[in-house]
Amino acid sequence: MTVAPIPPGYTSITPWMISRNTLALMDYLTQAFDAEDLGKVVDEHGVVGHAEMRIGNAIVMMFDARPEWPATPAFLRLYVADADATHRQAVAAGGTSVTEVTELFWGDRVGRVRDPFGNLYWIQTRVADLTEEQMMARMNDPEFVRAMEYVQSANFFPGSPAEQS
């Protein structure tokens, strides 16, 4: 019998999210993205040593950070069927909109949400399949130039030292 090098249900890359409160993060992911809890290992003190959730067709692993570790926010791109609806759902679940959903030159509608734990999600839906020529033309179209300026001007971390300087 041959063993598959990648277990069923996993992809070549599986992101880790390190949190100060993994159980609360899991609740947020369930509300914001309809994530499915695949299991967790919690010690007698309530510390999550390992947890896995399925979001769409991907598995995300997570665990509680040690108190002495610095914050390590995750930056995740999440493709969904409807970026606008998912963006609204993620904000309603307690997230903060970093950028509203905006169509960008390469054919995706993209909005960003920061969850209550500092993680940032690029919520995206492909709305146009473009040739390289079409994409290059859109890259110079004033509408899409303004859209890129908008999304690139976003401050991912309000209150950070960079913002205060």
Side-chain angles (χ1 to χ4, degrees), residues 62-124:
M62 56 204 76
F63 63 91
D64 283 330
R66 292 185 179 188
E68 68 272 16
W69 290 359
T72 55
F75 284 46
L76 302 171
R77 177 183 285 187
L78 176 60
Y79 272 102
V80 298
D82 184 339
D84 296 271
T86 301
H87 185 275
R88 286 189 301 273
Q89 183 174 331
V91 170
T96 302
S97 179
V98 174
T99 56
E100 294 302 316
V101 179
T102 304
E103 186 171 343
L104 298 175
F105 71 88
W106 62 85
D108 284 3
R109 286 187 55 75
V110 180
R112 292 178 289 197
V113 172
R114 187 179 43 260
D115 72 19
F117 312 95
N119 302 299
L120 191 67
Y121 305 86
W122 275 253
I123 301 169
Q124 298 186 215

Side-chain angles (χ1 to χ4, degrees), residues 126-156:
R126 176 62 43 103
V127 294
D129 288 321
L130 304 168
T131 65
E132 187 172 338
E133 293 78 24
Q134 291 170 319
M135 200 179 316
M136 295 307 288
R138 286 170 62 134
M139 186 186 292
N140 296 308
D141 181 314
E143 174 188 350
F144 293 105
V145 169
R146 282 190 303 277
M148 281 302 294
E149 288 170 350
Y150 165 65
V151 298
Q152 290 177 337
S153 71
N155 181 3
F156 295 163

Side-chain angles (χ1 to χ4, degrees), residues 6-76:
I6 300 171
Y10 291 80
T11 55
S12 295
I13 295 178
T14 302
W16 282 99
M17 299 178 78
I18 303 168
S19 178
R20 300 268 179 240
N21 188 342
T22 298
L23 295 176
L25 173 61
M26 293 175 77
D27 287 341
Y28 175 79
L29 294 173
T30 300
Q31 293 174 39
F33 306 122
D34 301 319
E36 175 190 356
D37 183 344
L38 299 177
K40 56 192 160 290
V41 177
V42 183
D43 74 12
E44 66 275 5
H45 304 289
V47 175
V48 176
H50 182 82
E52 295 186 13
M53 297 193 85
R54 181 179 309 286
I55 303 173
N57 64 354
I59 293 176
V60 178
M61 296 182 183
M62 56 204 76
F63 63 91
D64 283 330
R66 292 185 179 188
E68 68 272 16
W69 290 359
T72 55
F75 284 46
L76 302 171

